[in-house]
Amino acid sequence: MIIIMKPTASAADIKKVEDVVRGRGLSVHESRGEQVTIIGVIGDKTRLSGANLETHDGVEKLVPVTESYKLCNIKFHPSPTRVTLRSAVIGGGFTLIAGPCAVENEEQMFTTAAAVKRAGAGVLRGGAYKPRTSPYSFQGLGEKGLKMLKAAADSVGLACITEVIDFDSLETAVKYTDAIQIGARNMQNFELLKEAGRAGKPVVLKRGMSATIDEWLNAAEYIMASGNAEVILCERGIRTFERATRNTLDISAVPVLKSRTHLPVIVDPSHAAGVRAYVAPLTRAAKAVGADGAMIEVHCNPAEALSDGEQSLTPSEFAALASSL
């Protein structure tokens, strides 16, 4: 349920209503706009039976919320959320997050960081922990890779982000990165989501490969319910019967999410397509439908990449894409 206050409601009116809600054992989420204050009620609304909130001074109306996710619901928070990562802001523009799938060595990271910075990227990405389908594939450099990622990002003044896969990697990654990423395979790892919510860093939450939008938003709710309001949703393609691409980029998810949540929405065309030639047009499509940015894999030498070289752009290709946007 949300309680919409009148534009003329005083601070005392708002506090009185919130005190009544809390007195019934429920939580409140207050969103103050320029004209109207909205109070989101979180918990079992049957506890408000007999409270007659609509009769309180300053209350305009009560609106039921049927969705199970509350904190990330646009009804609770009508103004778009913006997440700041150093000088980059996710939300309200189109921000590029770029870098290699996996951190391999210092030369690779420093060269790529300088290239994506020149082209206009706001955030450097790089994987230190790699959950791979095959146990024989490159699994990442761990903390050593995180040190390289941070050093490369610092050298050009970029924020940096990396994926975490469990509690140990999360605990280590927060020491080096400006944001953490929860990958598709862990979207419904609820204990990891809770821990990410308590980690004190913004979280990029990728959509699970077979997850519905409601399931995805409920996963975001786990993070937010643990105290972290800085969540960025990332559409990275879903599993369908089509094999022409690695996954199927659900471009319609962007406007759907924009109608349901205040959280920023970005896309990952690299993992969706799995083919270098498709990355640029998918990125432009994402911007056209209102996405807040894109996470793109860029490698200084894709032919020798230890992970996902076939979908990585070269620095010159990335620069051309950034210019076209």
Side-chain angles (χ1 to χ4, degrees), residues 21 55 83 89 154 158 168 177 254 264:
V21 173
T55 66
V83 178
V89 179
D154 287 346
L158 290 177
D168 289 341
T177 62
V254 176

Side-chain angles (χ1 to χ4, degrees), residues 49-120:
S49 177
N52 298 319
L53 290 172
E54 58 266 64
T55 66
H56 282 60
D57 291 340
V59 174
E60 181 170 309
K61 61 180 177 179
L62 308 183
V63 180
V65 176
T66 57
E67 296 89 354
S68 54
Y69 48 90
K70 310 297 182 183
L71 295 175
C72 66
N73 199 314
I74 198 169
K75 296 174 185 175
F76 272 43
H77 193 292
S79 300
T81 290
R82 289 173 171 78
V83 178
T84 301
L85 305 177
R86 292 200 193 181
S87 60
V89 179
I90 315 296
F94 196 79
T95 303
L96 291 172
I97 302 170
C101 179
V103 177
E104 299 168 5
N105 55 64
E106 288 186 347
E107 181 182 1
Q108 169 227 22
M109 288 309 303
F110 278 79
T111 300
T112 305
V116 299
K117 169 72 173 183
R118 283 194 303 271

Side-chain angles (χ1 to χ4, degrees), residues 215-238:
E215 289 168 341
W216 188 10
L217 288 171
N218 274 293
E221 192 81 0
Y222 268 93
I223 299 170
M224 298 183 74
S226 295
N228 189 346
E230 294 191 306
V231 179
I232 301 163
L233 301 170
C234 182
E235 162 61 37
R236 47 79 71 197
I238 54 177

